[in-house]
Amino acid sequence: MSIYKDIILDHYRNPRHNDLPNNSKFTINVDNPLCGDIITLGLNIKNNRIKDIGFVGKGCAISIASASMLYDYALDKNISDLQKLDSSFMLNMLGIELTPNRLKCALLSLEALTKILCQIKI
Amino acid sequence: MKDIQSIRKDFPIFSHDPSLVYLDSTATSLKPQCVIDALTEYYARYSANVHRGIYDMSEKATLEYESARERVKDFINAQYSEEVIFVRNTTEAMNLIAYALGRKIVSEGDEIVTTIAEHHSNFVPWQQLAFENGAIFKVIQVMPEYDYKLHPEHISQVITRKTKMVALTYISNVLGVINPVRDITKAIRRANPETIIILDAAQASPHIQLDVQHLGVDFIAFSGHKMCGPTGIGVLWGRKELLKKMNPFMFGGNMIKKVSLNFTTYNDVPYLFEAGTPHIAGAIGLKAAIQYLETLNLKEIELYEYQLAKYAINELKKAFGDKIRFIGPTNSPNKIGICAFTFLDYHPHDVAQILSDEGVSVRAGHHCAMPLHESLGLEASIRASFYIYNTEEDVEKLIKSLKKVEQIFHVNL
């Protein structure tokens, strides 16, 4: 079955939160040099919840769509809940199966979020 | 060359999967039955070690292994069979030279020259050697004005008395253009006769006739698996007088003559560089692959591929116009069946994924040539490559599948 479902194509064509928030207090860059994908994520926190979130990036449909969907999900969520997210959450959210090669595309946005949340704890 | 349908019958993978559209032979080729048979015969009938046993089976294995070396010698028109060293692949061959010779002769302030069009296997070993030994690492560019070919003068201009080694590719695995190696070699020799010239022939050996004496280089490396042979076997050819000056790369069995508590006497070239039990079946399989390619005739293979690639480029242009951006020359008479491109703004991984869903296998990514992609302002590309078993129908399926990609992504991005 094709992984290019309507919902993924929709998020790829019109990514949500596709701009860095003004004055984001936290930002991070992650990349996947093997395919050239790159994501810059920015966010602000209030009362342990994500207040603003946004990203800019370059990448394949899977990496852009997963960033769009993940960051849309993350808005207003509690940091400690977000820290528990893993690859099976991502696959569930995307609703597709991926080969190991393409899994990396789907997990880049999660890597950005996980790393930025680690910074915040410090 | 015999007709394409009977060639396809030589490759059992097509009887297992008649609809297979395999456009990734640049990564590795499919295998004909005769190569598979040669491997099976060795394992089933005389699977003894070489250069050791006194019994018949081992004699037979040794004979076959050494006759593979002889066959490779003839295939590349080398003078001596001891100049042929069996290695795992081109990467190992390059590392062998970099360790066994490079680290011996390159000193601080010396220069190593390579090109932007190299596969990482002919780039990183030299970059790291330069880094470790304090040498200067020079990288030559390719230009669209010269059909992306390496230009003899561009290379000889950077050669100085300090240039110890030049490593270049015969055919880039992305650009597909055949470099004028003989002219380049002459130009380098004029600038500095002492410079060691190393040629990556991984993309040449499957497609065009190799003649090491005519090319005038010092080393040539290629892999068996790209030329219908088994994986895990490759060839390093080097000039005898240079090989004799080199240190062993690995120590152990087969590469010794005598070992005592305090010293070891090494074996002669080429065994000096073949420590441990070699890939015996692989060498025997490579011999079968060479026989197969020679039966088809390399001149005709080159012509067939050239025509097919030309057909593909024309058809792709007709179908997609400016939406396709080709990487490398589209109109060069010196091109093998490699066709790399980008398709609108679509990410190559997405394109390859949809092509795969449609049953077409292509490569997407940087094809182990990151410096080249970076110099062209690209992160990645799609590469369709054609070999002896590909047909015009394969090209048509590629085009049909690319239309599907457009259909899926067709919205202003």
Side-chain angles (χ1 to χ4, degrees):
Chain A
M1 208 198 69
S2 171
I3 58 174
Y4 298 98
K5 298 192 314 173
D6 286 345
I7 183 161
I8 287 174
L9 289 172
D10 176 42
H11 277 268
Y12 174 48
R13 288 167 185 151
N14 309 295
R16 325 299 194 254
H17 315 287
N18 194 18
D19 203 1
L20 291 177
N22 284 336
N23 310 317
S24 4
K25 199 169 165 212
F26 304 98
T27 57
I28 196 165
N29 279 308
V30 291
D31 65 353
N32 181 352
L34 282 180
C35 39
D37 290 359
I38 181 158
I39 285 178
T40 305
L41 172 66
L43 51 82
N44 289 313
I45 305 282
K46 198 175 176 187
N47 299 330
N48 278 331
R49 285 178 185 273
I50 293 193
K51 198 176 130 232
D52 314 298
I53 189 164
F55 77 103
V56 287
K58 252 188 336 180
C60 65
I62 301 303
S63 74
I64 298 299
S66 66
S68 169
M69 290 165 83
L70 174 66
Y71 302 148
D72 198 40
Y73 171 87
L75 187 65
D76 292 330
K77 293 279 188 310
N78 191 291
I79 294 176
S80 53
D81 289 339
L82 292 173
Q83 280 170 329
K84 292 179 197 139
L85 300 183
D86 58 8
S87 63
S88 59
F89 168 84
M90 294 297 288
L91 285 175
N92 246 330
M93 181 184 71
L94 292 163
I96 52 176
E97 280 180 27
L98 289 173
T99 58
N101 275 332
R102 295 312 297 278
L103 192 58
K104 284 183 246 161
C105 314
L107 296 184
L108 191 64
S109 52
L110 180 63
E111 184 192 331
L113 184 64
T114 311
K115 282 189 174 163
I116 213 169
L117 294 180
C118 280
Q119 282 180 11
I120 292 165
K121 261 208 143 174
I122 295 162
Chain B
M1 203 165 85
K2 63 181 184 180
D3 86 275
I4 194 77
Q5 288 312 323
S6 67
I7 289 178
R8 285 171 73 87
K9 285 201 183 86
D10 295 336
F11 291 79
I13 206 158
F14 291 118
S15 49
H16 290 286
D17 181 3
S19 64
L20 174 69
V21 180
Y22 185 72
L23 302 180
D24 198 18
S25 296
T26 297
T28 194
S29 76
L30 303 175
K31 317 300 173 203
Q33 189 64 48
C34 59
V35 168
I36 300 167
D37 288 345
L39 294 170
T40 310
E41 200 193 331
Y42 165 73
Y43 284 125
R45 292 173 191 261
Y46 60 100
S47 60
N49 212 328
V50 292
H51 308 135
R52 288 164 179 66
I54 307 296
Y55 48 95
D56 285 355
M57 211 165 70
S58 173
E59 301 280 12
K60 159 96 170 146
T62 306
L63 207 72
E64 289 295 326
Y65 181 72
E66 288 305 322
S67 86
R69 195 189 306 278
E70 199 65 30
R71 190 77 199 211
V72 170
K73 181 205 93 171
D74 293 339
F75 179 66
I76 60 175
N77 193 31
Q79 251 182 307
Y80 310 102
S81 53
E82 62 259 48
E83 294 181 327
V84 174
I85 299 159
F86 285 122
V87 290
R88 276 193 304 150
N89 45 37
T90 310
T91 301
E92 184 176 286
M94 293 308 177
N95 279 279
L96 195 160
I97 307 167
Y99 279 96
L101 183 66
R103 276 161 179 75
K104 193 174 171 181
I105 63 166
V106 174
S107 319
E108 205 173 325
D110 284 342
E111 298 162 358
I112 304 173
V113 176
T114 189
T115 89
I116 195 77
E118 302 307 313
H119 187 282
H120 295 159
S121 62
N122 199 28
F123 194 90
V124 185
W126 313 118
Q127 181 194 54
Q128 294 304 309
L129 168 61
F131 180 68
E132 276 179 39
N133 286 25
I136 299 157
F137 185 57
K138 291 181 173 174
V139 181
I140 293 162
Q141 302 296 313
V142 287
M143 295 180 202
E145 296 89 320
Y146 296 101
D147 268 355
Y148 298 89
K149 264 189 241 174
L150 295 169
H151 195 284
E153 297 311 314
H154 292 168
I155 298 186
S156 62
Q157 277 163 17
V158 305
I159 306 291
T160 72
R161 292 161 56 99
K162 289 267 185 190
T163 310
K164 286 283 163 67
M165 305 178 113
V166 178
L168 67 144
T169 185
Y170 203 156
I171 301 174
S172 140
N173 69 328
V174 179
L175 303 168
V177 70
I178 304 168
N179 284 314
V181 173
R182 186 177 152 86
D183 294 340
I184 292 170
T185 307
K186 281 185 182 167
I188 295 170
R189 299 269 187 241
R190 274 196 299 274
N192 182 350
E194 305 289 314
T195 300
I196 306 281
I197 305 171
I198 302 139
L199 186 68
D200 171 1
Q203 296 303 341
S205 62
H207 312 286
I208 64 173
Q209 242 162 16
L210 286 180
D211 184 334
V212 295
Q213 295 185 62
H214 178 78
L215 293 170
V217 297
D218 296 303
F219 292 97
I220 275 192
F222 55 92
S223 302
H225 70 93
K226 293 187 198 289
M227 49 186 288
C228 297
T231 55
I233 189 79
V235 170
L236 171 64
W237 169 87
R239 280 185 198 288
K240 201 162 62 167
E241 59 271 24
L242 281 170
L243 291 176
K244 286 190 169 166
K245 280 189 212 158
M246 285 160 57
N247 295 329
F249 175 40
M250 287 200 278
F251 300 92
N254 199 39
M255 56 77 65
I256 53 92
K257 264 185 184 155
K258 191 179 171 192
V259 178
S260 52
L261 277 184
N262 295 318
F263 70 91
T264 293
T265 318
Y266 300 141
N267 206 339
D268 298 324
V269 169
Y271 310 111
L272 170 63
F273 299 110
E274 292 180 2
T277 295
H279 189 3
I280 304 165
I284 291 165
L286 177 60
K287 176 184 161 188
I290 289 174
Q291 271 163 351
Y292 181 72
L293 291 181
E294 285 181 338
T295 313
L296 294 182
N297 187 325
L298 275 143
K299 283 257 171 238
E300 291 182 32
I301 291 174
E302 186 185 346
L303 182 67
Y304 178 74
E305 272 185 46
Y306 166 74
Q307 285 167 340
L308 191 57
K310 196 171 161 184
Y311 174 78
I313 289 170
N314 285 340
E315 292 301 302
L316 286 165
K317 276 184 182 167
K318 256 194 263 169
F320 302 106
D322 292 343
K323 293 175 192 166
I324 283 214
R325 178 186 160 195
F326 291 97
I327 299 160
T330 54
N331 207 12
S332 168
N334 306 107
K335 193 172 154 102
I336 61 159
I338 292 178
C339 186
F341 58 91
T342 55
F343 189 35
L344 284 167
D345 286 340
Y346 306 145
H347 194 290
H349 281 182
D350 288 326
V351 176
Q353 181 91 55
I354 294 168
L355 293 189
S356 165
D357 293 344
E358 298 296 304
V360 177
S361 308
V362 296
R363 178 83 187 265
H366 49 64
H367 325 305
C368 297
M370 277 178 149
L372 178 66
H373 276 81
E374 200 184 341
S375 78
L376 298 169
L378 297 167
E379 300 289 349
S381 63
I382 304 139
R383 184 185 66 195
S385 52
F386 305 97
Y387 202 27
I388 44 181
Y389 32 68
N390 291 117
T391 61
E392 293 189 354
E393 287 86 79
D394 290 344
V395 174
E396 279 143 28
K397 281 186 196 156
L398 170 68
I399 289 171
K400 208 175 140 204
S401 314
L402 285 170
K403 285 185 176 156
K404 178 86 184 194
V405 174
E406 238 190 326
Q407 223 179 61
I408 289 177
F409 287 119
H410 183 68
V411 164
N412 293 335
L413 293 173

